[in-house]
Amino acid sequence: MRLQFFQKTTVSVLAGLLILAAPGVGTAESLAGSKGDSRFAVNFPPGSTGDCPKAYKAYLVASGHSAYATTFYSRVTDLYVICSARLNAPSKKAAEDLALRSCQAGVKKY
């Protein structure tokens, strides 16, 4: 009698733990396809080729913590765009810092 009671209690407790743990399994998902936080929309003129559109596409499909930084683009006033992408960094903050530093270095250089 006691053995049956113990088995039923154990199964009930384990089933309850499984129900509570199941929602946490789905939260660890890939970051691929996620734009994350942005300060302004990134728009490239139609037919744009070059490093910046390629870097932005790579940023969007990266599976880890990644960041994309670019100078603001205006067709009227800007002749060039400087950009940088850091893909699959150890953390979001590290990716953002590296992308910003690289972009700022490009602005100083040109």
Side-chain angles (χ1 to χ4, degrees), residues 40-41 70-74 77-78 80-82:
F40 55 88
T70 184
T71 56
F72 185 73
Y73 176 75
S74 171
T77 60
D78 295 336
Y80 59 90
V81 174
I82 297 175

Side-chain angles (χ1 to χ4, degrees), residues 5-107:
F5 179 73
F6 181 72
Q7 287 176 341
K8 288 181 182 180
T9 305
T10 304
V11 169
S12 297
V13 169
L14 290 176
L17 289 174
L18 180 63
I19 291 170
L20 292 175
V25 173
T27 59
E29 60 189 47
S30 173
L31 298 173
S34 172
K35 287 197 305 185
D37 303 329
S38 61
R39 295 185 186 234
F40 55 88
V42 177
N43 294 316
F44 298 106
S48 292
T49 58
D51 294 336
C52 288
K54 290 178 188 174
Y56 186 69
K57 288 177 185 173
Y59 156 71
L60 287 179
V61 297
S63 60
H65 295 289
S66 302
Y68 177 81
T70 184
T71 56
F72 185 73
Y73 176 75
S74 171
R75 291 185 314 182
V76 178
T77 60
D78 295 336
L79 299 175
Y80 59 90
V81 174
I82 297 175
C83 65
S84 175
R86 288 295 177 254
L87 309 176
N88 302 322
S91 69
K92 177 182 173 185
K93 181 160 177 42
E96 290 173 349
D97 289 344
L98 291 170
L100 273 175
R101 270 195 248 145
S102 180
C103 191
Q104 290 168 345
V107 169

